Every structure is written in C-alpha cells, then in structure tokens.
Amino acid sequence: EAGVAQSPRYKIIEKRQSVAFWCNPISGHATLYWYQQILGQGPKLLIQFQNNGVVDDSQLPKDRFSAERLKGVDSTLKIQPAKLEDSAVYLCASSLVGSQGNYGYTFGSGTRLTVV
Amino acid sequence: AQKITQTQPGMFVQEKEAVTLDCTYDTSDPSYGLFWYKQPSSGEMIFLIYQGSYDQQNATEGRYSLNFQKARKSANLVISASQLGDSAMYFCAAQTGGGNKLTFGTGTQLKVEL
C-alpha cells in the first residue's frame, strides 16, 4: 500500500516569507496529524484532523501557522510569516479512527524547512 | 499531561549483541499506549512496537521486544542480535487521554559497531 506522501522534501526560505507543505495520507485513514520536529527533539503535535474537522490544535501557533484539510483527504500546512525558530522537520502522519492503539499510525518522510 | 523521559542520548552496541533503550513515562491516565519508533538519517519515523497499558504480556515484534514494567512506569525497548542497519535514532512515545495524539521523548541515538 502507498505510504503517507509529503512535499516538498526540502525548503529554504528567508524569515518573514511564507511557505506551504502538502500531505496526502494513506487511503482510508480518516485521521491526519502534523508534527513539528526541531533538531535534537522528539516530534511535537501541531494539529490533528479527523476527516475535515480539527480535533486538536492546542499547540499550533495560530498567529502564523494555519492548516486545512478540505474534503477530508489531503492537507496543507502554511507558515506566514516564517521565523528563524520555525526551522524544523514537519512530519505528517495518518491513522485509522480509534480511541487508542496503533491503528496503522504511519508517518511520511517529512519536509525539512530551513529559515535563514 | 504526560511526559516521556529517555535518559540515554547515545548508545553503542556491537553487532549481534542485544541492547536495551530506556524509557520512562509519567501519566495519571489508567489507559494508555506506548510506542517505539526508529528514525534513520533519512528522516522517516518507522513504527517498531506497541504496548497497551492493559496488555498482560510484553509486546514482541521480531527482534524487538518491549520490557513493560507498569509499576515502575517504564517501557524499555530491547533489540536482540543488533545489525548495522539498526543504527538510527529511537523514540519512545505515549498515547493517553483516549485520543490518538503521541507525546514523544527526546530520543536515543544508537550506533551499531562491527
């Protein structure tokens, strides 16, 4: 089965510019997640969708970050304007719906963002 | 809120030997799940093993086993017969509160040597 697809793989932008990342989850996975992984740290959840509704965005810096999942399939994460501290790997993951357990929790290869 | 602690920033092991990567967790939820992921230098997160808090037996998946000690709140990963391809960053994560969100530790960098 195809995995979680993310693009671009790498992105370098200047501070104050905007950037967008795209994610296509595994077919049939209703739940989609965006994680931010800063160098030397574990991933941190930014936002979780179930179908096209937001389940958890408590750690999303809403003044500059936005995300959408139109039609409940693929998703985009946007940063505007970017700051130096946004340099990180942005990981998308998807899973089947379930209260707990693995449920096919699968990560994409990530987008490595460098803000200069 | 849950917290995951991985106290070993780096570990070395010789090929074909077993290695244990430590993980402790802190949660007040009676129901939770524990995960281990492998992250090679290429960046993807590869699922290794899952343990539910009510599972009676320790989880095993091929060369990976999870040493689950509920009273101590520890969930150590044991890799048997290490291979060069096991060199990577390893993350422990917890899932609590009835949701699917994962909280990760800071990771352990494992290096397998000849």
Side-chain angles (χ1 to χ4, degrees), chain B residues 50-69:
Chain B
Y50 169 82
Q51 177 87 41
S53 59
Y54 293 118
D55 293 342
Q56 295 296 313
Q57 293 189 323
N58 287 344
T60 60
E61 291 283 351
R63 295 188 297 112
Y64 305 107
S65 60
L66 199 152
N67 184 2
F68 181 45
Q69 298 189 42

Side-chain angles (χ1 to χ4, degrees), chain A residues 24-42:
Chain A
N24 191 30
I26 289 175
S27 177
H29 281 194
T31 309
L32 184 147
Y33 318 79
W34 284 101
Y35 285 83
Q36 180 193 54
Q37 185 178 17
I38 292 172
L39 187 65
Q41 299 181 19

Side-chain angles (χ1 to χ4, degrees), chain B residues 94-110:
Chain B
Q95 187 183 56
T96 64
N100 299 87
K101 165 187 170 180
L102 295 180
T103 299
F104 286 84
T106 52
T108 295
Q109 182 72 49
L110 177 67

Side-chain angles (χ1 to χ4, degrees), chain A residues 42-71:
Chain A
K44 180 186 79 173
L45 181 73
L46 292 176
I47 189 167
Q48 176 183 341
F49 292 94
Q50 185 163 312
N51 296 309
N52 59 351
V54 175
V55 174
D56 183 348
D57 64 356
S58 57
Q59 298 195 85
L60 186 74
K62 297 179 186 65
D63 58 333
R64 297 183 301 105
F65 286 65
S66 64
E68 61 182 11
R69 192 184 182 197
L70 300 175
K71 302 180 182 178

Side-chain angles (χ1 to χ4, degrees), chain A residues 9 31 33 35 37 40-45 48 56 58-59 91 95-103 105 107-109 112, chain B residues 31-33 35 37 39 41-47 50 53 89 91 95-107:
Chain A
R9 192 78 172 88
T31 309
Y33 318 79
Y35 285 83
Q37 185 178 17
Q41 299 181 19
K44 180 186 79 173
L45 181 73
Q48 176 183 341
D56 183 348
S58 57
Q59 298 195 85
L91 292 161
S95 73
L96 296 166
V97 175
S99 63
Q100 210 156 78
N102 185 25
Y103 293 103
Y105 216 117
F107 283 83
S109 298
R112 185 178 298 274
Chain B
S31 177
Y32 51 89
F35 294 71
Y37 282 88
Q39 188 175 44
S41 56
S42 53
E44 72 268 33
M45 298 286 283
I46 301 168
F47 167 75
Y50 169 82
S53 59
M89 189 71 126
F91 288 97
Q95 187 183 56
T96 64
N100 299 87
K101 165 187 170 180
L102 295 180
T103 299
F104 286 84
T106 52

